[in-house]
Every structure is written in C-alpha cells, then in structure tokens.
Amino acid sequence: MLDLRPRTCCFTGHRIIPDKDLPRIMDRAEQTVRQLIEQGIVFFGVGGAIGYDTEVAKLLFRLRATDYPQIKVILVYPFEGFTSRWNDKQRAEYARLLPQYDKAVCVAQRASREAYLTRDRHLVDGSAYCIAYCTRDSGGAAYTLRYAKQYGLEIYNMTG
C-alpha cells in the first residue's frame, strides 16, 4: 500500500483566536501551506473544530478553488454529533463547509474525551507535517503538538 504520509500535512490549533491576531496567523498559515504544496504536499487533514480548524478549512478550500486544484482536504472528526454543543451559527458554518471536504473520517463510535484525542492522534499518525496555532502548554492543541513532536513531524507554529 502506498504511504501517503510524506505528502500529508495536518493542522492543530485553539478554538479561540483573538480577532486582532487572526489575519496575521492566517497569512502565515497560507504562506506555509503554499510552500508545502510547492514541495509536493497534496493531502491536508483538518479536525473540524471551531476556531483554527474551521479557518484553515476555509483557507484550503479557497486555495483549492483558485490555485491548487490538486490538493485534497480531509476532515477527521471525533464522533457523530460532536457539534451538538455549538451555537447555531457555528453549526451552520460547519454544515456549509462539510460538502467541500474530499473525504470525511469518523474515529469513534460514541462521544468521549478519548474520541477527541483519538482524532488528534489519527491526524498526526497520517502526516509528515503539522501546521499549528498553539500558544499554551495545555489543552488539545498542546497535546497534539507534543504528540506530533514525538512522532517526528516537521512542525510550523503560526504563533511567532
């Protein structure tokens, strides 16, 4: 079986991004994504969460529509119904983006904290690169970033 890991990048980041920082973070993310695509990266795994994941998905869909039709955007989500605690606006945006993914992978049968961690590990396990927005040493993004470092991914953190 063909190993797609060398051609795959995942993302991890916080759910809340200060409005004043969002343009700078996403500009850096776009520059990094473009660099990786130019190096032959084709597959991009996104976790589907509010915040950074959603912003990155919108960025990838725009790049695919304009400059890089060859890229594939894969949604890896923790369990069915994981958006149930989101507000109406967040759920509507998720529903609008959902059909644009090239593939969707559900990693767990039922809701649990472990399902989120399984999603995060699945993203990392299939990737050679990770583009992160992580400003803290705790939480899901920090967990995923530590796991990615242990696993030997090339990491780009958009915070600097």
Side-chain angles (χ1 to χ4, degrees):
M1 185 154 139
L2 186 62
D3 183 10
L4 300 177
R5 223 171 324 149
R7 299 174 60 202
T8 304
C9 174
C10 66
F11 296 85
T12 188
H14 302 305
R15 286 181 172 81
I16 297 171
I17 304 171
D19 288 339
K20 67 178 178 47
D21 296 338
L22 184 61
R24 177 181 52 81
I25 290 162
M26 294 314 297
D27 283 348
R28 289 194 66 204
E30 180 170 348
Q31 290 171 15
T32 305
V33 167
R34 286 179 179 274
Q35 272 181 318
L36 290 176
I37 293 169
E38 296 299 330
Q39 294 172 25
I41 304 309
V42 178
F43 304 100
F44 293 90
V46 179
I50 297 164
Y52 186 69
D53 284 0
T54 298
E55 293 302 320
V56 163
K58 292 189 295 191
L59 166 65
L60 292 167
F61 297 144
R62 179 172 54 79
L63 291 176
R64 187 180 62 194
T66 56
D67 299 332
Y68 303 105
Q70 76 275 24
I71 68 170
K72 304 293 182 200
V73 186
I74 298 108
L75 171 65
V76 179
Y77 63 101
F79 51 87
E80 295 297 340
F82 78 102
T83 63
S84 64
R85 293 184 178 156
W86 295 7
N87 66 38
D88 290 343
K89 182 181 175 195
Q90 292 163 334
R91 279 198 302 276
E93 183 166 49
Y94 177 79
R96 182 179 63 76
L97 296 176
L98 190 57
Q100 298 179 61
Y101 288 98
D102 294 288
K103 180 179 178 182
V105 178
C106 181
V107 299
Q109 295 299 316
R110 59 185 135 286
S112 69
R113 175 167 158 57
E114 183 59 31
Y116 290 98
L117 302 177
T118 300
R119 176 211 42 208
D120 298 342
R121 289 189 302 267
H122 182 93
L123 284 161
V124 170
D125 291 347
S127 300
Y129 303 88
C130 179
I131 301 175
Y133 167 63
C134 186
T135 60
R136 299 188 296 273
D137 291 331
S138 62
Y143 168 85
T144 307
L145 208 48
R146 278 193 304 275
Y147 185 75
K149 285 177 185 170
Q150 282 179 326
Y151 206 67
L153 271 65
E154 191 169 320
I155 295 168
Y156 303 88
N157 196 339
M158 301 296 103
T159 57

